[in-house]
PDB file of all heavy atoms in Angstrom:
ATOM      1  N   TYR A  74      18.979  37.854  -6.071  1.00 89.00           N
ATOM      2  CA  TYR A  74      20.373  37.769  -5.821  1.00 89.00           C
ATOM      3  C   TYR A  74      21.128  38.063  -7.127  1.00 89.00           C
ATOM      4  O   TYR A  74      20.546  37.993  -8.238  1.00 89.00           O
ATOM      5  CB  TYR A  74      20.802  36.380  -5.318  1.00 89.00           C
ATOM      6  CG  TYR A  74      19.935  35.915  -4.162  1.00 89.00           C
ATOM      7  CD1 TYR A  74      18.842  35.135  -4.411  1.00 89.00           C
ATOM      8  CD2 TYR A  74      20.223  36.266  -2.837  1.00 89.00           C
ATOM      9  CE1 TYR A  74      18.012  34.709  -3.371  1.00 89.00           C
ATOM     10  CE2 TYR A  74      19.400  35.844  -1.801  1.00 89.00           C
ATOM     11  CZ  TYR A  74      18.290  35.063  -2.076  1.00 89.00           C
ATOM     12  OH  TYR A  74      17.473  34.655  -1.044  1.00 89.00           O
ATOM     13  N   LEU A  75      22.414  38.347  -7.051  1.00 88.00           N
ATOM     14  CA  LEU A  75      23.230  38.489  -8.255  1.00 88.00           C
ATOM     15  C   LEU A  75      23.248  37.153  -8.972  1.00 88.00           C
ATOM     16  O   LEU A  75      23.411  36.118  -8.344  1.00 88.00           O
ATOM     17  CB  LEU A  75      24.641  38.945  -7.890  1.00 88.00           C
ATOM     18  CG  LEU A  75      24.732  40.393  -7.260  1.00 88.00           C
ATOM     19  CD1 LEU A  75      26.178  40.643  -6.892  1.00 88.00           C
ATOM     20  CD2 LEU A  75      24.206  41.434  -8.197  1.00 88.00           C
ATOM     21  N   LEU A  76      23.172  37.197 -10.275  1.00 91.00           N
ATOM     22  CA  LEU A  76      23.170  35.963 -11.052  1.00 91.00           C
ATOM     23  C   LEU A  76      24.618  35.467 -11.295  1.00 91.00           C
ATOM     24  O   LEU A  76      25.082  35.415 -12.440  1.00 91.00           O
ATOM     25  CB  LEU A  76      22.401  36.157 -12.370  1.00 91.00           C
ATOM     26  CG  LEU A  76      20.915  36.483 -12.214  1.00 91.00           C
ATOM     27  CD1 LEU A  76      20.250  36.589 -13.562  1.00 91.00           C
ATOM     28  CD2 LEU A  76      20.188  35.442 -11.327  1.00 91.00           C
ATOM     29  N   THR A  77      25.248  35.100 -10.224  1.00 84.00           N
ATOM     30  CA  THR A  77      26.586  34.494 -10.283  1.00 84.00           C
ATOM     31  C   THR A  77      26.401  33.010 -10.628  1.00 84.00           C
ATOM     32  O   THR A  77      25.332  32.553 -11.003  1.00 84.00           O
ATOM     33  CB  THR A  77      27.326  34.688  -8.984  1.00 84.00           C
ATOM     34  OG1 THR A  77      26.477  34.202  -7.920  1.00 84.00           O
ATOM     35  CG2 THR A  77      27.616  36.158  -8.732  1.00 84.00           C
ATOM     36  N   ASP A  78      27.473  32.256 -10.497  1.00 84.00           N
ATOM     37  CA  ASP A  78      27.468  30.847 -10.959  1.00 84.00           C
ATOM     38  C   ASP A  78      26.289  30.051 -10.420  1.00 84.00           C
ATOM     39  O   ASP A  78      25.587  29.428 -11.138  1.00 84.00           O
ATOM     40  CB  ASP A  78      28.789  30.156 -10.564  1.00 84.00           C
ATOM     41  CG  ASP A  78      29.978  30.871 -11.175  1.00 84.00           C
ATOM     42  OD1 ASP A  78      29.994  30.979 -12.407  1.00 84.00           O
ATOM     43  OD2 ASP A  78      30.848  31.322 -10.424  1.00 84.00           O
ATOM     44  N   TYR A  79      26.096  30.064  -9.095  1.00 89.00           N
ATOM     45  CA  TYR A  79      25.058  29.258  -8.507  1.00 89.00           C
ATOM     46  C   TYR A  79      23.645  29.651  -9.005  1.00 89.00           C
ATOM     47  O   TYR A  79      22.938  28.839  -9.613  1.00 89.00           O
ATOM     48  CB  TYR A  79      25.113  29.400  -6.978  1.00 89.00           C
ATOM     49  CG  TYR A  79      24.094  28.557  -6.262  1.00 89.00           C
ATOM     50  CD1 TYR A  79      24.370  27.232  -5.917  1.00 89.00           C
ATOM     51  CD2 TYR A  79      22.847  29.043  -5.902  1.00 89.00           C
ATOM     52  CE1 TYR A  79      23.439  26.420  -5.241  1.00 89.00           C
ATOM     53  CE2 TYR A  79      21.918  28.318  -5.267  1.00 89.00           C
ATOM     54  CZ  TYR A  79      22.199  26.972  -4.931  1.00 89.00           C
ATOM     55  OH  TYR A  79      21.285  26.207  -4.276  1.00 89.00           O
ATOM     56  N   PHE A  80      23.297  30.901  -8.792  1.00 92.00           N
ATOM     57  CA  PHE A  80      21.937  31.317  -9.179  1.00 92.00           C
ATOM     58  C   PHE A  80      21.827  31.420 -10.721  1.00 92.00           C
ATOM     59  O   PHE A  80      20.783  31.146 -11.264  1.00 92.00           O
ATOM     60  CB  PHE A  80      21.625  32.666  -8.548  1.00 92.00           C
ATOM     61  CG  PHE A  80      21.531  32.577  -7.045  1.00 92.00           C
ATOM     62  CD1 PHE A  80      22.461  33.187  -6.260  1.00 92.00           C
ATOM     63  CD2 PHE A  80      20.493  31.900  -6.446  1.00 92.00           C
ATOM     64  CE1 PHE A  80      22.371  33.101  -4.849  1.00 92.00           C
ATOM     65  CE2 PHE A  80      20.356  31.796  -5.079  1.00 92.00           C
ATOM     66  CZ  PHE A  80      21.335  32.404  -4.269  1.00 92.00           C
ATOM     67  N   GLY A  81      22.961  31.860 -11.359  1.00 93.00           N
ATOM     68  CA  GLY A  81      22.910  31.939 -12.816  1.00 93.00           C
ATOM     69  C   GLY A  81      22.676  30.611 -13.486  1.00 93.00           C
ATOM     70  O   GLY A  81      21.943  30.504 -14.488  1.00 93.00           O
ATOM     71  N   THR A  82      23.245  29.536 -12.957  1.00 93.00           N
ATOM     72  CA  THR A  82      23.017  28.227 -13.524  1.00 93.00           C
ATOM     73  C   THR A  82      21.579  27.759 -13.389  1.00 93.00           C
ATOM     74  O   THR A  82      20.962  27.240 -14.326  1.00 93.00           O
ATOM     75  CB  THR A  82      23.953  27.197 -12.812  1.00 93.00           C
ATOM     76  OG1 THR A  82      25.292  27.580 -12.970  1.00 93.00           O
ATOM     77  CG2 THR A  82      23.728  25.789 -13.367  1.00 93.00           C
ATOM     78  N   ILE A  83      20.975  28.025 -12.237  1.00 95.00           N
ATOM     79  CA  ILE A  83      19.572  27.684 -12.002  1.00 95.00           C
ATOM     80  C   ILE A  83      18.664  28.455 -12.963  1.00 95.00           C
ATOM     81  O   ILE A  83      17.818  27.884 -13.643  1.00 95.00           O
ATOM     82  CB  ILE A  83      19.135  27.902 -10.558  1.00 95.00           C
ATOM     83  CG1 ILE A  83      19.880  26.939  -9.624  1.00 95.00           C
ATOM     84  CG2 ILE A  83      17.624  27.695 -10.406  1.00 95.00           C
ATOM     85  CD1 ILE A  83      19.605  27.199  -8.158  1.00 95.00           C
ATOM     86  N   VAL A  84      18.861  29.768 -13.021  1.00 95.00           N
ATOM     87  CA  VAL A  84      18.008  30.611 -13.828  1.00 95.00           C
ATOM     88  C   VAL A  84      18.172  30.280 -15.347  1.00 95.00           C
ATOM     89  O   VAL A  84      17.232  30.257 -16.113  1.00 95.00           O
ATOM     90  CB  VAL A  84      18.300  32.096 -13.588  1.00 95.00           C
ATOM     91  CG1 VAL A  84      17.586  32.986 -14.599  1.00 95.00           C
ATOM     92  CG2 VAL A  84      17.856  32.472 -12.175  1.00 95.00           C
ATOM     93  N   THR A  85      19.408  29.995 -15.770  1.00 95.00           N
ATOM     94  CA  THR A  85      19.641  29.569 -17.169  1.00 95.00           C
ATOM     95  C   THR A  85      18.856  28.278 -17.492  1.00 95.00           C
ATOM     96  O   THR A  85      18.213  28.184 -18.564  1.00 95.00           O
ATOM     97  CB  THR A  85      21.128  29.380 -17.444  1.00 95.00           C
ATOM     98  OG1 THR A  85      21.799  30.631 -17.245  1.00 95.00           O
ATOM     99  CG2 THR A  85      21.358  28.887 -18.863  1.00 95.00           C
TER     100      THR A  85
END
Side-chain angles (χ1 to χ4, degrees):
Y74 310 93
L75 295 178
L76 297 183
T77 53
D78 300 304
Y79 181 86
F80 295 111
T82 300
I83 294 175
V84 171
T85 298

